[in-house]
Amino acid sequence: MKNEANNKAKQIEDLKKKRARLFEEILAHEDLMDGTFIERYSTCSRDGCKCHDGDKHGPRYYFAVTRDGRQKQHYVRKGNKDLVLAGIDSYQQVQELLYEITEINRELIDLEDDASNLS
Ligand SMILES: [Zn+2]
Protein backbone atom coordinates (compact mmCIF):
# COMPACT_ATOMS: atom_id res chain seq x y z
CA MET A 1 0.00 0.00 0.00
CA LYS A 2 2.84 2.36 0.84
CA ASN A 3 4.47 1.64 -2.51
CA GLU A 4 1.30 2.46 -4.32
CA ALA A 5 1.06 5.75 -2.47
CA ASN A 6 4.67 6.58 -3.37
CA ASN A 7 3.97 5.72 -6.97
CA LYS A 8 1.00 8.08 -7.02
CA ALA A 9 3.01 10.83 -5.38
CA LYS A 10 5.62 10.42 -8.13
CA GLN A 11 2.96 10.54 -10.84
CA ILE A 12 1.53 13.71 -9.31
CA GLU A 13 4.98 15.27 -9.13
CA ASP A 14 5.73 14.37 -12.77
CA LEU A 15 2.43 15.78 -13.98
CA LYS A 16 3.04 19.03 -12.10
CA LYS A 17 6.50 19.31 -13.67
CA LYS A 18 5.04 18.71 -17.11
CA ARG A 19 2.37 21.34 -16.44
CA ALA A 20 5.03 23.87 -15.43
CA ARG A 21 6.88 23.19 -18.71
CA LEU A 22 3.69 23.72 -20.71
CA PHE A 23 3.13 27.07 -18.99
CA GLU A 24 6.67 28.07 -19.90
CA GLU A 25 5.93 27.20 -23.52
CA ILE A 26 2.88 29.47 -23.40
CA LEU A 27 5.15 32.35 -22.40
CA ALA A 28 6.93 32.00 -25.75
CA HIS A 29 3.73 32.94 -27.58
CA GLU A 30 3.51 36.63 -26.72
CA ASP A 31 2.57 37.35 -30.34
CA LEU A 32 -0.68 35.35 -30.18
CA MET A 33 -3.77 36.74 -31.88
CA ASP A 34 -7.23 35.31 -31.36
CA GLY A 35 -9.03 35.84 -34.62
CA THR A 36 -9.20 34.96 -38.29
CA PHE A 37 -7.46 36.22 -41.38
CA ILE A 38 -9.54 37.45 -44.27
CA GLU A 39 -8.44 38.04 -47.85
CA ARG A 40 -10.87 40.10 -49.85
CA TYR A 41 -11.24 41.07 -53.48
CA SER A 42 -13.65 43.83 -54.45
CA THR A 43 -15.24 45.82 -57.25
CA CYS A 44 -15.28 49.60 -57.41
CA SER A 45 -17.79 52.12 -58.73
CA ARG A 46 -15.74 53.38 -61.71
CA ASP A 47 -17.46 52.80 -65.05
CA GLY A 48 -15.61 50.42 -67.35
CA CYS A 49 -13.07 49.36 -64.69
CA LYS A 50 -11.49 45.96 -65.26
CA CYS A 51 -12.87 44.82 -61.89
CA HIS A 52 -16.34 44.54 -63.41
CA ASP A 53 -15.02 41.94 -65.87
CA GLY A 54 -13.80 39.64 -63.12
CA ASP A 55 -10.34 41.15 -62.54
CA LYS A 56 -11.22 42.40 -59.09
CA HIS A 57 -9.15 44.73 -56.89
CA GLY A 58 -7.16 43.16 -54.14
CA PRO A 59 -6.39 41.24 -52.23
CA ARG A 60 -6.98 43.44 -49.20
CA TYR A 61 -6.30 41.84 -45.84
CA TYR A 62 -8.30 42.01 -42.64
CA PHE A 63 -8.01 40.53 -39.18
CA ALA A 64 -11.41 39.60 -37.79
CA VAL A 65 -12.08 39.41 -34.05
CA THR A 66 -15.32 38.08 -32.62
CA ARG A 67 -16.44 39.16 -29.15
CA ASP A 68 -19.85 38.43 -27.66
CA GLY A 69 -21.05 37.23 -31.04
CA ARG A 70 -20.05 40.45 -32.81
CA GLN A 71 -17.31 40.45 -35.38
CA LYS A 72 -15.00 43.41 -35.91
CA GLN A 73 -12.67 43.51 -38.91
CA HIS A 74 -9.40 45.41 -38.80
CA TYR A 75 -7.53 46.34 -41.95
CA VAL A 76 -4.09 44.72 -42.25
CA ARG A 77 -1.38 46.39 -44.33
CA LYS A 78 0.31 44.06 -46.84
CA GLY A 79 3.63 44.24 -45.00
CA ASN A 80 1.99 43.00 -41.80
CA LYS A 81 0.31 39.96 -43.31
CA ASP A 82 2.95 37.49 -42.08
CA LEU A 83 2.95 38.94 -38.55
CA VAL A 84 -0.80 38.52 -38.30
CA LEU A 85 -0.66 34.97 -39.69
CA ALA A 86 2.10 34.11 -37.20
CA GLY A 87 -0.01 35.53 -34.37
CA ILE A 88 -2.99 33.40 -35.38
CA ASP A 89 -0.75 30.33 -35.56
CA SER A 90 0.66 31.16 -32.14
CA TYR A 91 -2.83 31.35 -30.70
CA GLN A 92 -3.64 27.91 -32.06
CA GLN A 93 -0.51 26.52 -30.44
CA VAL A 94 -1.50 28.09 -27.12
CA GLN A 95 -4.93 26.51 -27.46
CA GLU A 96 -3.24 23.12 -27.89
CA LEU A 97 -1.11 23.78 -24.79
CA LEU A 98 -4.20 24.78 -22.80
CA TYR A 99 -5.85 21.55 -23.89
CA GLU A 100 -2.85 19.56 -22.59
CA ILE A 101 -2.87 21.50 -19.30
CA THR A 102 -6.57 20.74 -18.94
CA GLU A 103 -5.85 17.03 -19.40
CA ILE A 104 -3.13 17.18 -16.75
CA ASN A 105 -5.37 19.00 -14.28
CA ARG A 106 -8.10 16.45 -14.87
CA GLU A 107 -5.65 13.61 -14.18
CA LEU A 108 -4.36 15.42 -11.09
CA ILE A 109 -7.86 15.69 -9.66
CA ASP A 110 -8.29 11.92 -10.07
CA LEU A 111 -4.83 11.06 -8.71
CA GLU A 112 -5.04 13.38 -5.71
CA ASP A 113 -8.48 12.01 -4.96
CA ASP A 114 -7.09 8.43 -5.03
CA ALA A 115 -4.05 9.46 -3.02
CA SER A 116 -6.14 10.84 -0.20
CA ASN A 117 -8.26 7.69 -0.18
CA LEU A 118 -5.13 5.61 0.31
CA SER A 119 -3.84 7.46 3.34
ZN1 LIG B 1 -12.49 48.73 -60.22
Side-chain angles (χ1 to χ4, degrees):
M1 226 41 182
K2 189 143 192 296
N3 253 350
E4 202 178 330
N6 282 342
N7 194 20
K8 286 229 192 297
K10 174 92 173 78
Q11 271 181 281
I12 289 168
E13 197 190 307
D14 286 350
L15 283 171
K16 284 182 176 175
K17 275 186 195 157
K18 192 177 172 196
R19 186 175 61 182
R21 277 201 302 276
L22 293 170
F23 270 108
E24 269 174 40
E25 275 187 59
I26 287 178
L27 293 179
H29 293 286
E30 281 179 319
D31 63 336
L32 72 82
M33 291 176 77
D34 177 10
T36 54
F37 190 78
I38 296 169
E39 205 174 283
R40 190 177 295 141
Y41 294 84
S42 59
T43 52
C44 69
S45 56
R46 280 186 293 147
D47 279 339
C49 183
K50 62 185 177 136
C51 68
H52 299 287
D53 299 321
D55 189 10
K56 292 183 176 182
H57 302 287
R60 283 181 148 242
Y61 303 130
Y62 298 86
F63 176 67
V65 180
T66 302
R67 283 290 168 275
D68 302 322
R70 297 178 65 132
Q71 194 191 70
K72 207 170 168 181
Q73 297 186 0
H74 305 269
Y75 178 69
V76 175
R77 280 182 294 139
K78 269 195 171 55
N80 289 336
K81 178 189 178 185
D82 288 345
L83 285 175
V84 172
L85 287 175
I88 292 168
D89 186 59
S90 232
Y91 180 77
Q92 269 147 16
Q93 289 176 51
V94 167
Q95 286 240 292
E96 189 54 43
L97 291 165
L98 291 176
Y99 171 76
E100 284 183 56
I101 289 167
T102 298
E103 285 294 291
I104 287 172
N105 285 339
R106 190 181 51 69
E107 278 182 64
L108 281 172
I109 285 174
D110 286 347
L111 280 169
E112 284 174 335
D113 192 34
D114 287 355
S116 64
N117 284 341
L118 283 172
S119 57

